[in-house]
Amino acid sequence: MSTPPLLTIEGLTKAYPGVVANDHVSFTIGTGEVHALLGENGAGKSTLVKMIYGLVKPDSGRMTLRGAPYEPAEPRAARADGIAMVFQHFSLFDALNVAENIALGMENPPPLRDLAARIREVSETYGLPLDPFRTVGDLSAGERQRVEIIRCLLQDPKLLIMDEPTSVLTPQEVQILFQTLRKLKSEGTSILYISHKLEEIRALCDHATILRLGKNVGECIPAETSARDMAELMVGTALKTPERGVREFGDVALDISGLSVPAPSAFGTALKNVHLTVRRGEILGIGGVAGNGQDELLSVMSGEVTCARDAVKFDGAPIGHMGPTARRALGVLTAPEERLGHAAAPDMSLTENALLTGSVREGLERNGFLKWGATRAFAEKIIQAFDVRTPGPDNAARSLSGGNLQKFVIGREVLQRPEVLVVNQPTWGVDAAAAASIRQALLDLAAGGAAVICISQDLDELMEISDNFAALNEGRLSAPRPTAELTVDEIGLMMGGAHGMEVAHV
Amino acid sequence: MDLSAINPVLLIASLMVAATPLLLAAIGELVVEKAGVLNLGVEGMMITGAIAGFAAAVESGSPLMGFVAAAGAGALLSLLFVVLSQIALANQVASGLALTLFGLGLSALMGQKYVGVKPPAMGRIDIPVLSDLPVLGRILFSHDIVLYFGIALTAVVWAVLKYSRIGLILRAVGENHEAAHALGYKVVKIRTLAILFGGACAGLGGAYISLIRVPQWTEGMTAGVGWIALALVVFASWKPWRALLGAYLFGGITVLQLNLQAAGVAIPVEYLAMSPYLITILVLVILSADKSNAPASLGRSFHASR
């Protein structure tokens, strides 16, 4: 390694009851180096960075920072040693303003007025403009991330840890973030970058450490390694990419025209004059940054929010006024984004959860009485067909890992033979192998003659499976365009560009 | 009917006295809820404070000692809530209700030999010149010290929540305890301190009833003031000055309707008796129409591993 080491990690081990999260992990981060940490969900990336940030104590192993032993007892100590972290799920307080949020992450914050001036100064320097007195609850996801980054930068960090920073950004915002990170690197700041977006890692990082099931399974120079090789190191087996057969498009199955719905809550988004049609056999991909109307659009299609009769049509018949059960009876099924609490009831068993959406189409009740035997068989069928890893259908939905529950939730709808299936973020937080199988299931469903709408923030996923692509931006839906003709730049523009970000004044 | 029997100066002076127990309990609960904890045990802590303060004042002969003991007793009882809700992670609603029932029973037991006893009187402050002013002197400058303490506490709580770092951390914990934990703040410790503060305030409020407002000891004498305090915090949108306004409004109408009853107004007593509740809630509902800003983590249990 050309640069002197900043942080050396040797044999770090952390076990939780029943699972070893990290098993003798070792690597070194150089000064001014962008180091990637790669791995599937559950590979132990989060536990590892929590140990570096002082949130979790390692069972054994050693860390050395600038040649001295480093054992942070709490985040405060880590921050004092120049380590800052941008969290995957932002650790922000919605009801507080930007300056207050930043003050909370600092050891000895200056008075609020001085702090506001410094926030303005630093945010301008790094091309991340921010108004210190805006309430965080009103900010977009990209702006919220700026708050987190500036909170870190104000502490003048030597090592910046970023956990999945780009999952909520448009491509243009990602470019601006990368410019900021490169500027930081040129100033000698080291960055530990966690992601499973391989192309980003190839574009940004100098060095990568790959974790699988808590173990360090390899290192590479991302720029010299293909994305496929890295993915296979992560998964441990050869990767199967979903195959899209040649499909014939049939008649229009779902037709939404001139749909406007007011925002359901203060932090929600109103849908404005949305038009879309999807034919049998077609997969329509809907992209956009989170919070631009995805949840609202899904709830209009599921029937959770009803609208004018003619605004939503299924096979030419108006269904806008129908609730979810009536739509399910017709074959319009949905799988929402939030797994725990929306798609599944966390404390109910998988059997009970199978019943909740399956009772209508699978005939799981008679005269108000439930057929538990048939329901259990249906749940077992889902578990088997979608390779859900669980001891059995009597386990609570909460006990499954995110990826496994996602497979269950998607499988539950797919196995009900939908005419139209609407999914929101079908592979969010799911590892590469499970994501591939979910995408394959969606493709197979379309090949069987169903119309599929896939709402997602993962552009690679939409490019991979959808025939047409449209983007949601502030509640408006762009005109759909064939995916094959689109470039990443065009998609970015459809998603609303960079939301007023500017390039860093390097 | 003889409305001229109502002396407006005395009316205002006595409404401030009537409002103070409510204000003290509400300010304490406001801080607790700002930290994200819903403690429904206010009534129990108040009545425990009422008897503990009463007993301590009678035994020591000093009303001030009584208030100190009341604050201590309220905090001590709230420690039970800390154990249940913060350490054992029990449901906060159930724990709070248990605390109220426990406090009511405990106070009845403690108070058996104090029924009919007269407590030592709390002196009023006497500021030369100011206290002798006509009208204003009687209304503003000749109360007991605890009443002023209640108003000062409102100001301090407001300023601390709005301007100080500890206030910011407290609000952050109530807003998003996971994020606060990730930033390295001790969520359980901060909440414990807030709950103890709330308990001490409720105890003070209870002792104010038994030592100054009434002053004597009868079983169940707080008569629902703790519940009004809980409602007041919500309707005041978690803002200290609005809680003060609501407490004074409630106290004012309580005193006024008693005066009207005495004056023989031709409105049935039952309507007069319910009027403080109705009017206070109505006014505060209108005031809180702007937007609800309940702390986002209110009532949710926190454990570091989740």
Side-chain angles (χ1 to χ4, degrees):
Chain A
M1 199 163 298
S2 54
T3 51
L6 175 76
L7 178 70
T8 309
I9 288 172
E10 289 166 279
L12 223 51
T13 300
K14 175 76 194 174
Y16 287 111
V19 58
V20 181
N22 284 138
D23 190 358
H24 293 91
V25 177
S26 307
F27 62 89
T28 300
I29 303 171
T31 306
E33 178 190 84
V34 183
H35 194 107
L37 202 53
L38 265 168
E40 301 268 63
N41 296 97
K45 293 169 298 183
S46 293
T47 307
L48 185 60
V49 294
K50 278 180 183 165
M51 287 194 280
I52 299 175
Y53 194 59
L55 276 167
V56 171
K57 261 199 169 50
D59 295 337
S60 65
R62 262 192 322 184
M63 293 189 272
T64 315
L65 185 70
R66 285 186 293 261
Y70 171 67
E71 290 168 356
E74 52 177 358
R76 202 166 293 185
R79 286 200 293 263
D81 279 329
I83 293 183
M85 178 158 169
V86 175
F87 292 89
Q88 179 178 11
H89 302 290
F90 301 140
S91 59
L92 294 179
F93 305 93
D94 281 356
L96 307 182
N97 69 31
V98 171
E100 287 174 329
N101 264 287
I102 288 174
L104 278 168
M106 296 174 75
E107 274 331 296
N108 295 302
L112 224 48
R113 203 174 312 137
D114 302 350
L115 182 62
R118 282 199 57 202
I119 292 170
R120 284 221 170 80
E121 184 191 308
V122 172
S123 65
E124 299 286 316
T125 317
Y126 287 95
L128 309 163
L130 260 186
D131 176 356
F133 294 110
R134 277 187 67 193
T135 303
V136 166
D138 298 335
L139 301 181
S140 74
E143 288 172 314
R144 288 162 153 254
Q145 189 182 50
R146 279 181 234 173
V147 179
E148 290 256 11
I149 295 173
I150 286 168
R151 175 154 78 187
C152 293
L153 295 186
L154 280 175
Q155 299 165 56
D156 203 14
K158 299 289 168 280
L159 173 66
L160 181 63
I161 304 172
M162 304 200 81
D163 195 353
E164 304 267 353
T166 58
S167 54
V168 293
L169 304 183
T170 64
Q172 277 83 353
E173 285 173 324
V174 170
Q175 285 312 312
I176 290 161
L177 173 69
F178 282 9
Q179 304 245 21
T180 305
L181 294 183
R182 287 194 185 105
K183 179 170 162 60
L184 278 170
K185 170 182 151 79
S186 71
E187 290 168 356
T189 308
S190 307
I191 296 165
L192 182 59
Y193 189 93
I194 299 170
S195 180
H196 45 221
K197 295 195 179 170
L198 301 166
E199 289 303 332
E200 283 177 4
I201 284 174
R202 296 194 60 213
L204 183 73
C205 301
D206 305 317
H207 209 91
T209 296
I210 296 152
L211 294 182
R212 191 194 320 144
L213 299 173
K215 289 198 179 74
N216 187 343
V217 292
E219 294 191 14
C220 64
I221 310 273
E224 298 165 6
T225 314
S226 77
R228 195 178 175 87
D229 288 347
M230 285 196 279
E232 290 183 353
L233 266 175
M234 270 162 65
V235 183
T237 55
L239 204 62
K240 212 167 59 189
T241 28
E243 294 165 27
R244 48 199 302 176
V246 183
R247 277 176 274 132
E248 296 279 314
F249 296 159
D251 300 332
V252 171
L254 192 75
D255 181 1
I256 296 182
S257 53
L259 174 79
S260 296
V261 178
S265 70
F267 292 120
T269 309
L271 293 176
K272 294 159 196 140
N273 196 19
V274 170
H275 295 270
L276 71 86
T277 59
V278 53
R279 289 161 291 182
R280 287 178 187 281
E282 176 185 347
I283 298 182
L284 173 66
I286 296 182
V289 177
N292 273 294
Q294 284 91 341
D295 293 345
E296 289 79 4
L297 184 61
L298 182 108
S299 58
V300 164
M301 295 196 269
S302 71
E304 285 162 81
V305 171
T306 51
C307 53
R309 292 175 67 96
D310 289 337
V312 184
K313 286 185 192 153
F314 169 66
D315 277 348
I319 60 164
H321 59 291
M322 290 181 182
T325 310
R327 292 192 197 192
R328 284 187 170 276
L330 289 173
V332 180
L333 308 187
T334 52
E337 169 186 4
E338 178 60 45
R339 294 184 278 257
L340 286 175
H342 195 177
D347 292 318
M348 294 175 90
S349 71
L350 294 180
T351 306
E352 288 166 316
N353 272 296
L355 178 90
L356 287 176
T357 77
S359 69
V360 181
R361 284 184 76 76
E362 296 295 307
L364 300 178
E365 56 181 292
R366 184 171 51 208
N367 303 328
F369 287 92
L370 305 175
K371 299 190 200 167
W372 282 119
T375 309
R376 195 184 156 89
F378 178 50
E380 276 166 353
K381 190 168 132 196
I382 301 167
I383 290 169
Q384 202 184 8
F386 281 80
D387 186 28
V388 181
R389 310 262 166 86
T390 172
D394 299 327
N395 282 60
R398 191 191 287 290
S399 69
L400 270 64
S401 73
N404 273 314
L405 185 56
Q406 187 67 27
K407 287 193 272 187
F408 182 83
V409 166
I410 298 285
R412 180 178 66 178
E413 307 306 326
V414 168
L415 290 181
Q416 289 178 48
R417 309 170 311 281
E419 306 287 328
V420 176
L421 178 63
V422 186
V423 291
N424 189 4
Q425 296 274 63
T427 60
W428 182 69
V430 174
D431 60 49
S437 73
I438 288 176
R439 287 173 196 156
Q440 186 64 54
L442 294 177
L443 285 165
D444 293 347
L445 194 64
V452 177
I453 298 179
C454 178
I455 305 173
S456 179
Q457 277 144 50
D458 184 344
L459 288 180
D460 297 332
E461 166 171 289
L462 294 177
M463 300 298 261
E464 191 173 310
I465 65 169
S466 61
D467 303 300
N468 287 303
F469 175 86
L472 267 174
N473 184 20
E474 291 176 359
R476 291 187 184 83
L477 188 70
S478 70
R481 294 176 56 187
T483 315
E485 304 171 1
L486 284 171
T487 65
V488 170
D489 273 350
E490 285 173 313
I491 290 178
L493 290 174
M494 287 169 83
M495 284 164 65
H499 293 287
M501 289 174 112
E502 45 185 302
V503 174
H505 306 294
V506 181
Chain B
M1 185 167 82
D2 184 12
L3 287 178
S4 63
I6 301 174
N7 178 346
V9 173
L10 273 180
L11 185 80
I12 297 176
S14 57
L15 88 79
M16 291 172 76
V17 173
T20 299
L22 183 56
L23 176 66
L24 284 167
I27 288 295
E29 179 68 11
L30 188 142
V31 170
V32 176
E33 292 192 14
K34 271 286 184 190
V37 179
L38 183 65
N39 184 353
L40 294 184
V42 181
E43 180 81 4
M45 299 185 297
M46 279 188 92
I47 192 87
T48 306
I51 182 57
F54 190 89
V58 168
E59 301 302 338
S60 71
S62 152
L64 222 49
M65 274 310 294
F67 279 106
V68 171
L76 197 66
L77 192 61
S78 71
L79 205 55
L80 181 62
F81 183 77
V82 170
V83 172
L84 289 173
S85 71
Q86 302 302 305
I87 297 170
L89 300 182
N91 178 296
Q92 292 182 4
V93 171
S95 309
L97 291 173
L99 200 65
T100 287
L101 294 173
F102 177 64
L104 287 169
L106 181 71
S107 63
L109 180 71
M110 285 165 65
Q112 275 172 346
K113 68 176 191 140
Y114 292 100
V115 177
V117 177
K118 197 170 161 22
M122 181 89 174
R124 289 178 174 163
I125 61 159
D126 189 14
I127 310 166
V129 188
L130 282 180
S131 299
D132 299 331
L133 287 174
V135 186
L136 273 187
R138 179 71 191 86
I139 294 177
L140 292 181
F141 301 111
S142 52
H143 290 290
D144 56 273
I145 189 129
V146 182
L147 186 147
Y148 300 109
F149 176 75
I151 298 170
L153 191 67
T154 310
V156 169
V157 165
W158 167 77
V160 165
L161 284 178
K162 194 168 162 80
Y163 296 111
S164 80
R165 175 140 179 96
I166 184 74
L168 180 62
I169 293 171
L170 184 95
R171 283 188 287 148
V173 166
E175 200 55 49
N176 185 344
H177 51 216
E178 271 120 26
H181 174 69
L183 288 174
Y185 295 107
K186 303 250 182 303
V187 174
V188 171
K189 184 173 135 199
I190 290 162
R191 286 190 167 164
T192 301
L193 291 175
I195 293 168
L196 291 179
F197 176 80
C201 286
L204 278 182
Y208 196 88
I209 299 178
S210 66
L211 289 177
I212 294 178
R213 172 124 199 259
V214 175
Q216 58 172 0
W217 167 250
T218 43
E219 232 177 79
M221 70 183 306
T222 46
V225 173
W227 296 111
I228 300 290
L230 272 165
L232 196 62
V233 173
V234 177
F235 291 124
S237 305
W238 293 270
K239 293 189 168 91
W241 291 117
R242 277 198 198 167
L244 179 96
L245 176 80
Y248 274 46
L249 191 69
F250 184 82
I253 299 165
T254 307
V255 172
L256 182 67
Q257 64 94 6
L258 286 173
N259 275 287
L260 289 175
Q261 280 184 33
V265 176
I267 304 171
V269 173
E270 289 79 6
Y271 288 107
L272 285 174
M274 72 171 81
S275 62
Y277 302 89
L278 280 181
I279 294 173
T280 306
I281 286 175
L282 195 71
V283 168
L284 289 171
V285 164
I286 293 167
L287 276 181
S288 63
D290 48 0
K291 69 175 176 184
S292 143
N293 26 22
S297 292
L298 184 59
R300 286 168 50 209
S301 291
F302 172 76
H303 189 263
S305 70
R306 283 188 200 158

